Amino acid sequence: MYDINKAAVIGAGTMGLGIAGQLANAGVEVTLLDIPASGDNRNAIAERALERLLDENQPGLLHRDFVKRIRIGNIEDDMALLADVDWIAEAIVERLDLKKALYRQIDAVRKPGSIVSSNTSTIPISLLVEGMPESFQAEFAITHFFNPVRYMRLLELVRGTHTRQQVIAALEAFCDRRLGKGIVVCNDTPGFLGNRVGVFAIQTALHAALQMGLSPEEADSIFGRPMGIPKTGVFGLYDLIGIDLMSDVAKSLESILPPEDAFHAVAAELPVMQRMIAEGYIGNKGTRGGFYRAANVANGIGRKTLDFDTFSYRDHDATRPQAAVDAELAGDFTLLLQGDDRYAAYAWRVLSETLCYAAELVPDVNESLVAVDDAMKLGYNWIQGPHEMLDAIGVDNLIARLEQDGRPVPEFIRTAAGQSFYRVHAGRLQYLLADGSYEDLERAEGILRFSEQRRTLKAIEENEAASYFDIGNAVGLIEFHSKANALGPMSMQLIESAVAHASEHMQALLIHNDAQHFSCGADLTSILGFVASGDMQGLDAFLKHYQQTLMQMRYAPIPVVAAPSGLSMGGGFEVLLHTDKVIYHANSVTGLVESLVGVVPGGGGVKEMLYRWAEKEGDVAKGAWKAFMNIGYGKTARSPLEAEPLAMFRDGVDSYIMNRDRLLATATDAALAMAPDYTVSRHGTLRMPGRDTWAEMQDWLAEAHAKGLLTPHDVTTGTQIGMIVTGGDIDAGTELTENDLFDLERKAFLALGRTTETRQRIEFMLEHGTPLRN
């Protein structure tokens, strides 16, 4: 009944623009309206919004051409455009009077059977539809997206008293499959779930840090990656969002939450923030900085920190508490709670207050703890939800410590005493209900999170870097789980063993994980160890094992399918290059970026890209030039659609989907479909361009350097890349095999590894996270 093929968004601000962009990403025709501008161009506001959508720093579109799917207008001249759309999403300012006036305009022109929704998170749905016709109320809902809409996975969906169930079902199905959102159905309560818990956690961390005398660096070293939440921490997050905007968000929640809510204790704007806002220190979007600002404004390297006593910037203190380092390395936030210093006290205060607050929302605000946990994982990028964190601490341990502190224990936490919020029973993952019973955790058909599935499985083999599982239907799965999923010797050992086992016992093999990133590449720390010590023999052995392991995987007698999300860079992308098929998430980022640290792809990346470009161009010499340029510049693609023209995505072989929670099921189905008739496809030899083409490439590098486009070490690195893709000092037409190309990759890598400049680049990247231009 409610098919969504055309849509409209009213409000071209940050959220409305993001929603329009994601609709365009999904292949939907979108009408974007805002208020009319003064002057001759009455659509200027919406027009300028589209320019922001194409921002290179944070593009809202999977491909620039998708902007053509968006038509613009204004709410005075173009309301008639809404007559043929199926879904109208309102995303204007949070003022009830303006929204209600707009709804009357919408209802006058919309077609029967169209859905209307609001992006609000502060105004109850009952007030939004008050006084509107029953037909409008029946087709109205709240669809609360999170910013940036393209990347944030959470959509909170709220039904009104009179909203038809078919409307909710249509929005849920469309936003899941087409927009790629994780749907959390919320009751019509203030702040819903994500912001209610998330802003409480941020405010608690902020107030506790200042009350306990922790510097921004100290607080962010705890309330960040060691806790399993984004690295920005609390002060960095305030800077990122905007100190003025965060202040407004806190005030908004304070105004709508009931008087007895614990949020009021941490809602107040702190004096230092009042001064910062008054004087323009509002964070990253301002010109004066925030809690932090760049030490070198020109290149953004380094940071300075605001000293609260002198209200001036001092040198940034990068020293981290040992507990934070240990917790991050172990991936175990509970290590933060084990000390007796002020850092452990800070971690306990923030965690205990936040987790208790989240537990108090069950069942009155939402009957399911899974909804609360999903809201924080999908909307705030927490690795674990609050109730998963409570299980990690231990419910009885938490209760005992709360009682020791003389603090009340939430009723739902009392219910879990002697047990846990999640458990595995009869091979099923279950979660606790408010009455103390358990229920199976059931996801919608096709949604499968390996982080949940793995709790019901026992690994066939595992080490600290990776694990190998049988996930049923004779399908094996390799999961990376090192820090940033960096790939080192232990990763390759696991792949080698898993491929051997799967070749004998499985129909297919998958490579997938539920981490934020598939793999950020080969372990630079290990490579630096070889380089700094001059152990070229050890480095050569590591590279050779990497190459041969991926070759073994590529020529396994069963299909190998990868399902990555997030970053697949360098050595991580080389893994993908050696699979039969890749099911990408729509926001997957791919690239061979080794040149930025002064080396070459040494795990078959140059080899595979040369084969791909030779086939794509129909000529090895032309393909060699394409590979040379793309690898030399370290080009990356921020979506599969950007990857296709770079030969990183194979049209007709690879595919992509919008919802990352559907990656595993989609990849499993694809692998099983390939299995019955699977045959190995082998690369033949390549007739290499040889020394003359290599000389041309060296001439090009020299000219680019003379123009100031390349640094001296760029030229050195590019020369080695050219050597691989041409074959080097050989006659044109000389045939080389895959193993010959592997040998050239290692030769080039070792040559660069002997240079001081490469060592400097690797050290700089590890310290600053940005390339050194030497």
Side-chain angles (χ1 to χ4, degrees):
M1 178 178 179
Y2 291 99
D3 292 330
I4 300 174
N5 298 303
K6 292 183 178 182
V9 179
I10 303 180
T14 299
M15 291 305 302
L17 182 63
I19 296 168
Q22 191 66 358
L23 285 162
N25 287 335
V28 176
E29 293 182 23
V30 191
T31 298
L32 177 63
L33 305 182
D34 206 294
I35 59 174
S38 58
D40 295 335
N41 184 2
R42 289 171 61 79
N43 296 336
I45 294 174
E47 200 171 275
R48 287 196 297 269
L50 291 189
E51 294 173 5
R52 299 200 308 274
L53 201 59
L54 298 172
D55 182 0
E56 286 294 324
N57 293 321
Q58 184 133 15
L61 298 176
L62 296 175
H63 194 283
R64 294 179 66 88
D65 287 351
F66 287 0
V67 74
K68 298 173 184 176
R69 295 172 177 166
I70 305 174
R71 61 179 176 178
I72 60 173
N74 68 80
I75 59 173
E76 287 186 7
D77 304 331
D78 301 303
M79 291 297 284
L81 296 176
L82 305 183
D84 67 341
V85 304
D86 307 306
W87 175 22
I88 303 163
E90 170 267 305
I92 67 171
V93 295
E94 294 289 79
R95 276 184 52 184
L96 181 60
D97 59 333
L98 296 180
K99 289 179 186 287
K100 292 183 70 107
L102 178 62
Y103 297 158
R104 287 189 287 271
Q105 286 182 269
I106 291 172
D107 202 39
V109 297
R110 76 182 184 100
K111 67 179 182 181
S114 61
I115 297 171
V116 182
S117 73
S118 175
N119 187 61
T120 186
S121 65
T122 62
I123 303 176
I125 196 170
S126 57
L127 294 181
L128 291 172
V129 299
E130 186 178 32
M132 294 297 296
E134 289 186 8
S135 58
F136 182 89
Q137 296 187 41
E139 294 174 331
F140 185 87
I142 288 176
T143 48
H144 181 224
F145 291 86
F146 281 66
N147 184 50
V149 177
R150 173 181 167 184
Y151 296 99
M152 297 307 296
R153 298 164 62 193
L154 178 61
L155 172 69
E156 293 179 319
L157 183 58
V158 184
R159 178 182 183 181
T161 303
H162 302 290
T163 310
R164 290 177 182 153
Q165 179 54 37
Q166 299 99 310
V167 168
I168 298 300
L171 286 170
E172 193 167 1
F174 178 84
C175 294
D176 163 11
R177 293 181 178 274
R178 298 287 297 278
L179 298 188
K181 297 304 171 186
I183 312 297
V184 172
V185 178
C186 299
N187 296 329
D188 189 21
T189 56
F192 309 135
L193 291 177
N195 281 346
R196 187 156 181 183
V197 177
V199 178
F200 178 86
I202 294 166
Q203 290 294 114
T204 298
L206 179 75
H207 279 248
L210 292 176
Q211 289 167 10
M212 298 175 70
L214 270 65
S215 69
E217 298 100 323
E218 290 174 318
D220 287 352
S221 71
I222 300 294
F223 187 82
R225 279 179 172 164
M227 271 190 193
I229 62 180
K231 65 179 181 180
T232 50
V234 57
F235 290 97
L237 183 59
Y238 253 86
D239 279 353
L240 180 65
I241 296 173
I243 294 166
D244 53 342
L245 180 58
M246 271 303 302
S247 177
D248 289 342
V249 170
K251 289 176 182 175
S252 176
L253 278 173
E254 185 180 24
S255 69
I256 61 175
L257 288 169
E260 67 277 9
D261 196 275
F263 182 81
H264 294 291
V266 294
E269 188 175 80
L270 298 165
V272 67
M273 290 174 51
Q274 293 173 342
R275 180 176 176 184
M276 292 174 72
I277 293 170
E279 297 186 20
Y281 294 89
I282 57 174
N284 297 355
K285 65 179 181 178
T287 58
R288 308 192 72 179
F291 292 111
Y292 302 108
R293 75 177 180 193
N296 187 325
V297 178
N299 59 23
I301 293 175
R303 289 208 287 183
K304 285 186 174 292
T305 306
L306 185 66
D307 187 294
F308 298 147
D309 294 329
T310 64
F311 208 76
S312 61
Y313 285 93
R314 57 169 173 77
D315 290 339
H316 183 80
D317 184 0
T319 306
R320 302 177 66 203
Q322 189 59 46
V325 175
D326 294 342
E328 185 176 345
L329 288 174
D332 182 1
F333 75 92
T334 65
L335 297 179
L336 296 170
L337 305 175
Q338 296 179 6
D340 56 3
D341 57 16
R342 61 186 185 139
Y343 303 122
Y346 176 69
W348 165 248
R349 178 172 169 181
V350 173
L351 281 170
S352 62
E353 292 185 12
T354 299
L355 300 184
C356 285
Y357 186 79
E360 287 173 343
L361 302 183
V362 181
D364 294 338
V365 173
N366 198 295
E367 63 182 20
S368 172
L369 67 87
V370 177
V372 178
D373 287 355
D374 279 353
M376 297 315 299
K377 290 189 289 186
L378 301 179
Y380 277 78
N381 281 336
W382 289 17
I383 292 176
Q384 294 178 288
H387 298 90
E388 292 171 314
M389 298 177 81
L390 285 166
D391 279 349
I393 294 171
V395 176
D396 292 346
N397 292 335
L398 182 94
I399 291 173
R401 190 159 177 182
L402 289 173
E403 291 177 338
Q404 182 181 341
D405 292 348
R407 293 165 56 188
V409 179
E411 183 178 345
F412 189 44
I413 292 180
R414 286 277 188 206
T415 302
Q419 44 193 357
S420 59
F421 289 103
Y422 293 90
R423 73 175 188 182
V424 175
H425 180 71
R428 304 282 295 177
L429 181 61
Q430 299 182 324
Y431 65 96
L432 185 70
L433 302 177
D435 63 6
S437 64
Y438 284 89
E439 186 170 291
D440 287 350
L441 200 169
E442 300 280 359
R443 298 289 183 186
E445 183 181 358
I447 290 181
L448 187 59
R449 296 180 188 167
F450 188 64
S451 56
E452 295 170 351
Q453 186 183 18
R454 79 189 309 276
R455 296 180 63 170
T456 68
L457 303 173
K458 180 176 176 57
I460 295 174
E461 184 172 348
E462 61 184 336
N463 59 38
E464 65 185 41
S467 300
Y468 169 55
F469 298 88
D470 179 347
I471 63 170
N473 293 317
V475 176
L477 185 145
I478 295 171
E479 177 198 36
F480 303 141
H481 47 66
S482 58
K483 183 180 178 181
N485 287 335
L487 305 178
M490 298 190 77
S491 311
M492 292 302 113
Q493 289 168 15
L494 190 287
I495 293 175
E496 182 179 31
S497 179
V499 169
H501 180 276
S503 297
E504 292 290 329
H505 302 286
M506 300 293 176
Q507 293 189 75
L509 179 64
L510 305 182
I511 309 177
H512 171 74
N513 61 69
D514 254 354
Q516 183 178 5
H517 300 301
F518 176 75
S519 172
C520 293
D523 183 5
L524 273 183
T525 302
S526 295
I527 291 172
L528 179 61
F530 291 121
V531 169
S533 65
D535 183 7
M536 294 300 111
Q537 186 175 354
L539 180 56
D540 187 53
F542 165 67
L543 293 172
K544 190 167 187 176
H545 184 226
Y546 206 115
Q547 293 172 338
Q548 294 305 316
T549 298
L550 297 188
M551 183 77 103
Q552 176 189 356
M553 183 179 75
R554 189 182 188 286
Y555 292 129
I558 57 174
V560 179
V561 176
S565 58
L567 299 179
S568 300
M569 307 299 282
F573 185 54
E574 287 179 304
V575 173
L576 303 184
L577 286 170
H578 288 83
T579 61
D580 294 294
K581 185 181 185 68
V582 185
I583 311 292
Y584 288 100
H585 178 232
N587 291 329
S588 293
V589 180
T590 51
L592 295 172
V593 295
E594 286 86 347
S595 65
L596 302 181
V597 289
V599 294
V600 299
V606 183
K607 166 184 73 77
E608 286 298 312
M609 293 308 296
L610 179 59
Y611 273 104
R612 288 193 182 189
W613 275 116
E615 180 180 359
K616 196 176 180 76
E617 294 292 312
D619 180 272
V620 179
K622 291 180 180 178
W625 270 102
K626 289 286 191 178
F628 167 74
M629 297 297 289
N630 289 330
I631 296 171
Y633 277 118
K635 287 190 177 180
T636 59
R638 290 171 293 190
S639 75
L641 289 161
E642 289 185 4
E644 194 278 331
L646 298 175
M648 297 179 190
F649 178 91
R650 298 163 294 182
D651 191 26
V653 177
D654 301 327
S655 61
Y656 75 91
I657 60 175
M658 296 292 282
N659 192 336
R660 65 175 288 172
D661 282 339
R662 294 184 174 275
L663 278 174
L664 180 53
T666 303
T668 302
D669 290 346
L672 288 173
M674 295 169 65
D677 302 313
Y678 181 75
T679 56
V680 176
S681 175
R682 295 186 176 273
H683 284 319
T685 59
L686 287 176
R687 297 174 64 87
M688 304 300 288
R691 64 175 65 86
D692 289 344
T693 303
W694 186 28
E696 292 172 5
M697 291 177 177
Q698 292 177 76
D699 289 341
W700 182 92
L701 290 166
E703 291 174 10
H705 173 56
K707 294 175 183 177
L709 301 175
L710 298 178
T711 69
H713 202 54
D714 289 338
V715 175
T716 303
T717 307
T719 299
Q720 293 296 329
I721 295 169
M723 183 270 292
I724 304 168
V725 298
T726 62
D729 189 18
I730 60 174
D731 294 334
T734 301
E735 293 189 3
L736 295 186
T737 66
E738 285 187 85
N739 279 320
D740 292 331
L741 292 170
F742 272 146
D743 291 343
L744 292 177
E745 285 186 354
R746 296 201 317 280
K747 177 182 177 181
F749 203 112
L750 296 177
L752 291 166
R754 294 185 180 95
T755 67
T756 300
E757 292 80 4
T758 285
R759 178 177 55 77
Q760 291 172 339
R761 283 196 177 191
I762 296 174
E763 290 173 341
F764 194 86
M765 178 63 77
L766 288 172
E767 182 177 354
H768 298 287
T770 189
L772 173 66
R773 306 293 295 147
N774 62 346

